[in-house]
Amino acid sequence: MSATHTDVPVDGPAEQDCSIRDVLDRVGDKWSALIVLRLSDGPRRFSELHREVDGISQRMLTLTLRALERDGLLSRTVYPTVPPRVDYELTDLGRTLLTPIAALREWAVAHRDDIRRARARHDHPTSDPHASPAPAS
Amino acid sequence: MSATHTDVPVDGPAEQDCSIRDVLDRVGDKWSALIVLRLSDGPRRFSELHREVDGISQRMLTLTLRALERDGLLSRTVYPTVPPRVDYELTDLGRTLLTPIAALREWAVAHRDDIRRARARHDHPTSDPHASPAPAS
DNA sequence: CGGTATCCGTAGGGATACTG
DNA sequence: CAGTATCCCTACGGATACCG
């Protein structure tokens, strides 16, 4: 990633691009944002996340949680009981991330239909805008 | 807060997850957000974007622009001059996306150091929290 | 200038099996 | 329950060459 990464002195568009590049590499993956959102209303156990984050594999759940923990976005608490229990919870830093991610989600909810329409329009450019566009995906 | 209680009729978490899943698949890729940000202060030519979006290949610039156009986030205007000139500009829909992306960028700028520190702490767990954390490896 | 077409390596990520 | 370990496949994306 940051191969040519010398110390940029101050701000400027390059600096900001670089920052958002980092963030996208971090939470722009397939699962991080979803997990962070799941954790927004309190801690979760591994198996709870596995059930609630739809479609995620055990492997990716582990990997993503580890990465988020590494970046200080969530904390991992192991209870040495049997059977074992592990709780994941957003840190203060992780909670600050909640704001922009929630903004993204709200945008998604608000404009998903716009995008679907635009896509349909682009994909089969029938001259009839009233033709049923969404075959119930 | 019990899991045995699914009284949410329509806009449950699954619905929202599904939406943000879509958005992440769309703008969570390596270049889309960067391009949208570049276009925030007005239209750009292909070659301008190629220069301004650091590190992007011609191929990925084309592909990403096409995808964004397909989703109605930007418009493509061809001037039949010679040499040819093509302008890309955010649509109204694209401009609405600017808000959450900018929020993400601001978060990135504000917390990049926090993440770097957390990462360093995690990666080499020296017992000395005052040791210089980023040895510019 | 603004693209396509092609080739190709790598990383992301799913499925499955095993473990403490 | 909460993971590892392994295999394997594909989509992303870089490099390069060519075209209108």
Side-chain angles (χ1 to χ4, degrees):
Chain A
M1 44 216 79
S2 54
T4 60
H5 198 181
T6 54
D7 51 339
V8 182
V10 269
D11 45 26
E15 153 84 15
Q16 305 206 332
D17 277 9
C18 189
S19 295
I20 202 175
R21 162 88 292 138
D22 289 347
V23 172
L24 288 172
D25 287 346
R26 178 83 295 289
V27 303
D29 64 34
K30 201 170 178 183
W31 302 111
S32 291
L34 255 25
I35 290 176
V36 169
L37 279 175
R38 280 304 89 201
L39 292 174
S40 64
D41 50 351
R44 292 281 193 288
R45 309 182 53 163
F46 186 88
S47 50
E48 290 179 304
L49 285 171
H50 195 191
R51 247 174 290 111
E52 291 179 10
V53 179
D54 196 66
I56 197 171
S57 66
Q58 207 165 5
R59 169 187 148 87
M60 287 318 295
L61 181 54
T62 303
L63 287 179
T64 310
L65 287 171
R66 292 284 189 270
L68 291 170
E69 186 195 6
R70 180 170 109 104
D71 289 353
L73 297 172
L74 55 80
S75 64
R76 178 171 179 270
T77 312
V78 183
Y79 300 95
T81 62
V82 44
R85 174 205 176 102
V86 180
D87 271 22
Y88 294 92
E89 184 172 18
L90 290 182
T91 60
D92 289 340
L93 182 58
R95 263 183 290 274
T96 66
L97 181 56
L98 221 44
T99 307
I101 289 186
L104 213 57
R105 185 194 54 194
E106 272 152 48
W107 185 91
V109 174
H111 297 289
R112 61 184 323 199
D113 286 339
D114 296 317
I115 288 191
R116 264 216 281 257
R117 271 193 296 270
R119 205 173 283 188
R121 211 176 306 130
H122 185 101
D123 283 354
H124 49 111
T126 135
S127 51
D128 185 3
H130 304 117
S132 64
S137 170
Chain B
M1 58 186 72
S2 65
T4 62
H5 196 186
T6 53
D7 60 325
V8 185
V10 273
D11 55 348
E15 153 84 14
Q16 304 204 334
D17 277 10
C18 187
S19 296
I20 203 175
R21 163 86 292 140
D22 289 347
V23 172
L24 287 173
D25 287 346
R26 176 82 295 289
V27 304
D29 64 34
K30 201 170 176 182
W31 303 111
S32 290
L34 255 25
I35 291 177
V36 169
L37 279 174
R38 280 306 88 201
L39 293 175
S40 63
D41 50 352
R44 290 283 193 287
R45 308 182 54 164
F46 185 89
S47 49
E48 290 179 305
L49 285 172
H50 197 190
R51 246 175 290 112
E52 292 179 10
V53 179
D54 196 67
I56 196 171
S57 66
Q58 206 165 5
R59 170 187 148 86
M60 286 319 294
L61 181 54
T62 303
L63 287 179
T64 310
L65 286 171
R66 292 283 189 270
L68 291 170
E69 187 196 5
R70 180 169 108 105
D71 289 353
L73 297 172
L74 55 79
S75 64
R76 179 172 178 269
T77 312
V78 182
Y79 300 95
T81 63
V82 44
R85 173 208 177 100
V86 180
D87 272 20
Y88 294 91
E89 184 172 17
L90 290 182
T91 61
D92 289 340
L93 181 58
R95 263 183 291 272
T96 65
L97 181 57
L98 221 45
T99 307
I101 289 187
L104 214 56
R105 185 193 54 192
E106 273 152 49
W107 185 90
V109 174
H111 298 288
R112 61 183 325 199
D113 286 339
D114 295 319
I115 288 191
R116 263 214 283 256
R117 272 193 296 272
R119 206 174 283 189
R121 210 176 306 130
H122 185 100
D123 284 354
H124 47 111
T126 138
S127 51
D128 184 2
H130 304 119
S132 61
S137 171

